[in-house]
Amino acid sequence: GGWLKAQLARARRGRGAQRAAESERGQRRRGAAMQNDEGRVVDLYLPRKCSATNRLIPAKEHGAVQLNVGQVDENGRYTGEFYTFALAGFIRQRGESDSCLNRLLHERGLLTFSK
């Protein structure tokens, strides 16, 4: 009886310490993003969001696209500035990417519907 109680007590102590370590590791993972000395985010992977629906785009989604729309001056020359739009694969699959992109461009003042 005494030997078994000692073994169970030792196992409980070991599991408690293991849980505490796992909890601490989980808090580090869920905490603030990794930053360098200048305060810039340096995580290896930052998930994208669909510009039309604000849903997260998974890393393995191969149907998603990202478009950079460049700004031009009055002479039609590229100014070096651009707007980035990401469209999820399910928007493209439903055939709504054209209308979503038109809406996004109109919201930013890059596209007008006047004649």
Side-chain angles (χ1 to χ4, degrees):
W3 176 82
L4 183 59
K5 285 182 183 177
Q7 291 289 41
L8 289 173
R10 197 173 302 129
R12 277 192 214 106
R13 276 195 307 265
R15 267 186 292 192
Q18 183 180 1
R19 281 191 194 119
E22 287 172 1
S23 173
E24 183 179 301
R25 273 182 266 155
Q27 287 175 353
R28 267 189 270 145
R29 270 192 222 122
R30 287 187 298 271
M34 282 193 347
Q35 296 178 349
N36 63 7
D37 295 335
E38 296 143 15
R40 297 192 64 186
V41 176
V42 291
D43 280 340
L44 293 177
Y45 173 70
L46 292 173
R48 292 182 297 166
K49 287 178 82 174
C50 177
S51 299
T53 62
N54 283 334
R55 291 185 182 184
L56 285 178
I57 299 174
K60 297 289 184 178
E61 182 175 335
H62 298 290
V65 295
Q66 182 169 319
L67 302 169
N68 290 336
V69 179
Q71 282 284 95
V72 295
D73 61 12
E74 60 277 350
N75 296 323
R77 292 195 195 109
Y78 177 57
T79 62
E81 298 174 359
F82 57 89
Y83 293 94
T84 301
F85 300 101
L87 294 174
F90 81 96
I91 290 288
R92 297 180 64 220
Q93 189 174 17
R94 290 171 54 184
E96 297 181 10
S97 56
D98 184 52
S99 59
C100 287
L101 192 58
N102 284 342
R103 177 180 57 85
L104 292 167
L105 292 170
H106 181 69
E107 288 172 358
R108 299 255 164 75
L110 300 172
L111 180 68
T112 60
F113 295 109
S114 60
K115 292 183 179 183

